[in-house]
Amino acid sequence: MKCPFCGYEESKVIDSRPADERSSIRRRRECLSCSKRFTTYETVESLPMVVVKKDGSRQSFDRRKVLGGMIRACEKRRVSLLELEKITDEIEQDLQNHMEREISSDEIGERVMERLRNVDQVAYVRFASVYRQFKDIDTFMEELNKLLADNK
């Protein structure tokens, strides 16, 4: 690690501790040349993900859109924002672990529905109705019947 004061390229770590809710590590270092101390942060590099939309267009993955969709689906339901943020984190982590840099919006939607189904069934149906673009009441009833069958 290059010293910001003298430019010497070797230092020793004096202290390490978790930072940013354990998503990075804060390190106090001491330059082996000038003995001045400085702080560095170590984080995991995440590769950018691109979402391929239904129309074939591409855009950067935006976790706020995933969270926003779930918040709308859970409106006036007893689902905490903390729980929705946790689900968003899980989905984002799953996608990062998937190692594909291009992800279809369908895959993201399915992952959201899978998790909402276990959290709140009304929110699940709300999200599914928008995501799957139910055209009529019959399509809506098919989804409800599947949900009822799974609960038995």
Side-chain angles (χ1 to χ4, degrees):
M1 182 61 61
K2 191 174 184 179
C3 175
F5 303 105
C6 70
Y8 192 68
E9 293 196 12
E10 291 188 40
S11 63
K12 68 179 178 180
V13 175
I14 297 168
D15 180 45
S16 290
R17 63 180 69 174
D20 298 327
E21 297 177 8
R22 300 198 169 278
S23 65
S24 65
I25 297 175
R26 177 185 182 271
R27 298 198 195 281
R28 285 294 292 159
R29 297 178 176 270
E30 184 177 306
C31 176
L32 295 177
S33 176
C34 69
S35 298
K36 291 195 177 181
R37 293 183 176 187
F38 57 99
T39 303
T40 61
Y41 288 89
E42 183 178 310
T43 59
V44 174
E45 183 179 20
S46 60
L47 298 172
M49 291 183 288
V50 175
V51 177
V52 181
K53 308 292 270 181
K54 290 178 183 176
D55 66 1
S57 65
R58 288 168 165 70
Q59 61 182 232
S60 297
F61 175 80
D62 186 353
R63 62 176 280 117
R64 293 174 301 184
K65 287 186 176 183
V66 174
L67 182 60
M70 288 192 297
I71 288 171
R72 282 189 299 282
C74 293
E75 220 169 79
K76 297 184 182 178
R77 303 296 303 159
R78 292 180 181 249
V79 181
S80 72
L81 181 58
L82 187 64
E83 190 166 8
L84 295 178
E85 287 174 339
K86 182 180 172 223
I87 292 170
T88 305
D89 289 343
E90 290 170 1
I91 291 170
E92 185 175 19
Q93 189 62 51
D94 285 351
L95 295 172
Q96 285 283 350
N97 292 343
H98 191 56
M99 298 303 286
E100 294 289 327
R101 294 303 105 209
E102 288 192 351
I103 299 115
S104 72
S105 59
D106 289 338
E107 188 174 339
I108 295 169
E110 292 297 328
R111 289 172 189 251
V112 169
M113 286 194 314
E114 178 184 312
R115 285 176 172 81
L116 279 179
R117 184 180 209 151
N118 298 326
V119 172
D120 186 284
Q121 292 180 342
V122 172
Y124 162 77
V125 172
R126 286 178 178 170
F127 188 88
S129 69
V130 173
Y131 168 71
R132 292 203 173 133
Q133 299 174 340
F134 293 160
K135 302 281 189 255
D136 54 30
I137 194 72
D138 293 331
T139 316
F140 192 79
M141 286 307 295
E142 283 176 31
E143 194 64 37
L144 286 176
N145 288 331
K146 280 190 231 173
L147 191 60
L148 290 171
D150 289 347
N151 284 339
K152 290 183 181 177

